[in-house]
Amino acid sequence: MNARDETPANATASAGRASAVRPQEPSKARSTLVWIALLLVFAGAAFLSDARWSQIIGIFTDGGKYLVLMAEGLFQNPLQEPQSEQWTLAFERMMESVYMAWVGTLLGALISVPFGFLAARNVSGPVTVQVTRAFLNLIRAVPELVFAIVIMLPIFGFGPLAGALALGVGAVGTLGKLTAEALEGIDAGPVEAGQASGASRWSILRWAYWTQVLPEVLAFWLYRFEINIRASAVLGVIGAGGIGSLLSQLFGQREWEQIGITLAVVIIVTIGVDAISGAIRHRIIAGSGRSVSTEEKAEATV
């Protein structure tokens, strides 16, 4: 039977069989090679790290022993001496770390605002943007520990002030970058309306730019505050005050019971601050969720 004798029904059946053929599965050779390369890199890093992998079993033996020693302080009466004094000292030092983080966050937030405007492409010129972003990248590349050792401690000495300033300077890089990205994502409508009405440059920046990004920026500040609380514990190890200084002293003296109490205080306060900060961030970004009545709308209009 030739092509002329093929009926429409046969042609339809042939087209259906052709369309039912599954396309060829793409090759997975590239992704497989990538995973093999990553595994080789990981294996090479593990080999070159000079770690004592034969001692990994010590996590379940010596580690458990230290956990038991630290737990002994937690199951003793916290109202009796010396446990009551240990709990009080741990809370005092932890609150000192919280104060350091709060002051550092406020300092970094205030400094980061102008840098955020200078680094936003829809606010500043290209040269200003590039220079500001390079400066913010430089700050983010340097850990807070380096700021404390190289700059703050020689000037302000050992204590919470040096730690708070180091946290503040370290926060400028991150908060400035996040502020700039928030400014670049605003709605251009209010900006164009302000320009069309003849508003000044300062008024446009204040009411068209800053008002739109303020809730998001406040959420960034609160999140950075949570990060600074953890960073303040690390700074305390070098003498910047706070809970880190106490932990460093206790580990040097092998006071395991008091170490357990101190770590418990760190966990309790950190979880509490994270919960409160998270609730505030959600309230700022999402709002209260309460519907506004007609009477309230009328009162707001008046």
Side-chain angles (χ1 to χ4, degrees):
M1 182 176 64
N2 53 26
R4 295 178 181 177
D5 298 331
E6 187 176 3
T7 62
N10 292 334
T12 303
S14 299
R17 286 193 299 270
S19 62
V21 178
R22 297 182 60 181
Q24 185 179 2
E25 185 178 359
S27 177
K28 297 182 179 180
R30 178 179 297 179
S31 61
T32 303
L33 290 176
V34 170
W35 280 109
I36 293 175
L38 290 176
L39 289 175
L40 290 176
V41 170
F42 178 78
F47 177 76
L48 296 175
S49 64
D50 198 23
R52 295 179 296 174
W53 298 107
S54 59
Q55 303 296 325
I56 196 171
I57 193 64
I59 297 176
F60 306 99
T61 57
D62 295 339
K65 179 181 68 176
Y66 293 135
L67 286 176
V68 172
L69 292 175
M70 288 187 289
E72 290 180 358
L74 299 177
F75 292 102
Q76 297 180 13
N77 188 355
L79 300 180
Q80 295 180 350
E81 294 294 342
Q83 283 74 31
S84 62
E85 183 180 354
Q86 294 172 354
W87 281 97
T88 302
L89 178 61
F91 271 107
E92 289 178 353
R93 293 297 184 88
M94 187 62 202
M95 293 310 299
E96 189 175 86
S97 293
V98 174
Y99 300 152
M100 287 169 52
W102 180 251
V103 173
T105 304
L106 290 179
L107 179 64
L110 293 176
I111 299 176
S112 67
V113 172
F115 282 107
F117 278 94
L118 293 174
R121 294 185 178 90
N122 57 343
V123 177
S124 304
V127 177
T128 304
V129 170
Q130 293 300 325
V131 173
T132 307
R133 286 179 177 263
F135 177 71
L136 295 177
N137 292 337
L138 177 62
I139 294 178
R140 289 201 307 276
V142 180
E144 291 87 353
L145 195 64
V146 176
F147 283 122
I149 295 175
V150 177
I151 301 176
M152 302 307 168
L153 289 180
I155 299 176
F156 300 98
F158 294 93
L161 179 58
L165 294 177
L167 292 174
V169 174
V172 171
T174 302
L175 294 179
K177 179 178 182 293
L178 294 175
T179 302
E181 292 178 350
L183 289 169
E184 292 175 352
I186 66 169
D187 181 11
V191 179
E192 296 174 354
Q195 293 172 346
S197 63
S200 63
R201 176 68 171 173
W202 172 254
S203 298
I204 294 175
L205 292 176
R206 169 65 180 85
W207 301 108
Y209 284 92
W210 182 244
T211 304
Q212 292 190 62
V213 301
L214 181 58
E216 189 174 0
V217 171
L218 287 176
F220 293 152
W221 292 354
L222 289 172
Y223 182 65
R224 184 67 195 190
F225 172 56
E226 299 174 15
I227 296 175
N228 282 345
I229 291 178
R230 300 173 180 86
S232 63
V234 178
L235 292 178
V237 176
I238 63 171
I243 198 70
S245 298
L246 178 60
L247 283 173
S248 178
Q249 177 183 355
L250 294 176
F251 273 108
Q253 299 174 355
R254 301 296 190 271
E255 297 287 347
W256 297 110
E257 293 184 5
Q258 192 170 352
I259 289 173
I261 293 174
T262 306
L263 292 178
V265 170
V266 172
I267 295 172
I268 293 171
V269 174
T270 303
I271 292 177
V273 171
D274 287 351
I276 296 173
S277 178
I280 295 175
R281 288 203 314 272
H282 181 270
R283 175 66 176 82
I284 291 173
I285 295 176
S288 62
R290 185 177 65 88
S291 59
V292 182
S293 63
T294 306
E295 292 78 5
E296 290 175 335
K297 293 181 179 178
E299 291 177 359
T301 304
V302 175

